[in-house]
Amino acid sequence: MNLPSDENGLFIQGMQDAQELGKYLERKYTQDGIQDAYASRLDESKRLAKAENITPLQGFWKLLDWSYSDKTSDLKCGAGCAHCCHTGVAATQLEWDGIVDHARKIGLDLNKIIQRAQKTVDKVKRVLDSKKNLDSVEWHRLVINQPCPFLNEEHVCEVYDDRPLDCRLVVAYRDVCDSKNLEHAQRGVHIEEAIGSTVVAKLQHDQTPKMLRGKFKGEQKLRLLQHWLILWQKKSKKKKKNKK
């Protein structure tokens, strides 16, 4: 089955059906090409980290930025354009740690972030408290059409430099993207989309102490940003209690 794409090599319905997107990527890139790209980007991320005294994850973020600028036409995304920031954003532990570190460096109070996003934080908390099988919950539906916790009143991401892969792979090449359905968002334009999550997962695996690693299975657990904020708040309260 031929899947629709435009002059940018964009799979137009990619945001609507992840399985179809997977088929599109398999058709567009060979397995050998995907494996070679994964190995090279992983190595490049670590080399860049050493050269610039940044984390390997930040090194990979730089590679993604270069990929957009080198391989694609001009993006339509700009400051204050936050239509795609009204959906569920998931992150790995590694990505979340990067966000927390970024918040600490710029003096961002995560308790205030939680207060601002209380509506969606409470929704996620109620599901967690109900002890439901998390696999049976449509997590993104809990927060759809609600602003990301880190989107401020000026429609600017407050942790933009360390935003997770979920955000970095949703960018627009078209002028109209204000429906919040993300049908104008980029999907399948370059090979980094096919290997990005595996690179991030491997970077997290490699920084985990060897005695806790286990065998690398190609992925790491994802949680909504609201879930990470809940866990962060619990951890912070526990630390304060132990200091008393």
Side-chain angles (χ1 to χ4, degrees):
M1 179 179 65
N2 290 327
L3 298 174
S5 64
D6 63 10
E7 66 275 10
N8 291 314
L10 166 66
F11 174 41
I12 300 170
Q13 281 78 39
M15 287 305 300
Q16 307 302 320
D17 192 326
Q19 289 184 341
E20 278 197 286
L21 174 60
K23 294 176 185 176
Y24 178 84
L25 292 172
E26 288 174 3
R27 186 189 71 177
K28 187 172 182 178
Y29 306 114
T30 66
Q31 284 302 309
D32 286 344
I34 290 174
Q35 185 59 39
D36 289 345
Y38 159 72
S40 65
R41 300 304 185 277
L42 185 64
D43 187 53
E44 290 166 10
S45 298
K46 293 179 178 180
R47 287 208 311 266
L48 191 59
K50 289 183 179 180
E52 299 193 11
N53 194 29
I54 57 179
T55 68
L57 182 61
Q58 289 171 327
F60 183 57
W61 295 157
K62 283 201 168 193
L63 293 178
L64 278 181
D65 289 342
W66 293 340
S67 178
Y68 282 125
S69 62
D70 291 346
K71 300 178 184 179
T72 61
S73 59
D74 292 339
L75 303 180
K76 301 300 182 181
C77 303
C81 176
H83 299 299
C84 61
C85 301
H86 291 71
T87 187
V89 175
T92 62
Q93 177 74 63
L94 183 67
E95 292 169 298
W96 175 248
D97 289 344
I99 290 172
V100 172
D101 189 53
H102 182 98
R104 178 184 57 78
K105 287 179 180 178
I106 66 174
L108 187 64
D109 187 344
L110 293 185
N111 284 306
K112 290 183 178 179
I113 298 296
I114 292 172
Q115 291 175 6
R116 183 170 68 197
Q118 200 69 60
K119 181 178 180 179
T120 54
V121 168
D122 286 347
K123 279 187 175 182
V124 174
K125 190 174 186 301
R126 282 195 292 271
V127 173
L128 292 171
D129 291 344
S130 71
K131 308 297 183 183
K132 288 183 180 179
N133 181 353
L134 301 186
D135 293 334
S136 68
V137 177
E138 292 188 66
W139 282 97
H140 286 69
R141 291 292 176 187
L142 290 173
V143 297
I144 197 71
N145 290 330
Q146 297 297 320
C148 172
F150 292 98
L151 188 68
N152 68 19
E153 289 76 12
E154 287 74 41
H155 287 180
V156 173
C157 175
E158 296 190 295
V159 291
Y160 186 80
D161 289 343
D162 286 281
R163 66 197 187 282
L165 186 68
D166 242 14
C167 304
R168 293 172 187 273
L169 293 182
V170 182
V171 292
Y173 294 94
R174 298 179 174 85
D175 291 309
V176 182
C177 61
D178 57 3
S179 68
K180 298 180 184 177
N181 289 327
L182 308 185
E183 69 268 28
H184 298 284
Q186 169 265 331
R187 296 274 88 175
V189 172
H190 51 75
I191 201 166
E192 281 78 8
E193 181 166 30
I195 55 99
S197 61
T198 311
V199 171
V200 173
K202 187 64 166 68
L203 290 174
Q204 179 171 322
H205 178 267
D206 288 351
Q207 80 160 30
T208 303
K210 288 185 177 181
M211 61 189 304
L212 301 176
R213 278 185 196 173
K215 185 178 180 181
F216 180 58
K217 298 181 180 179
E219 59 185 10
Q220 297 287 352
K221 187 175 182 62
L222 290 167
R223 290 187 172 98
L224 284 174
L225 292 182
Q226 287 86 349
H227 191 174
W228 284 120
L229 284 166
I230 291 168
L231 294 174
W232 174 86
Q233 191 174 56
K234 286 182 178 179
K235 187 176 180 180
S236 297
K237 288 180 178 179
K238 187 176 181 180
K239 282 184 178 180
K240 287 183 180 179
K241 184 178 181 180
N242 290 338
K243 286 181 181 180
K244 293 181 179 179

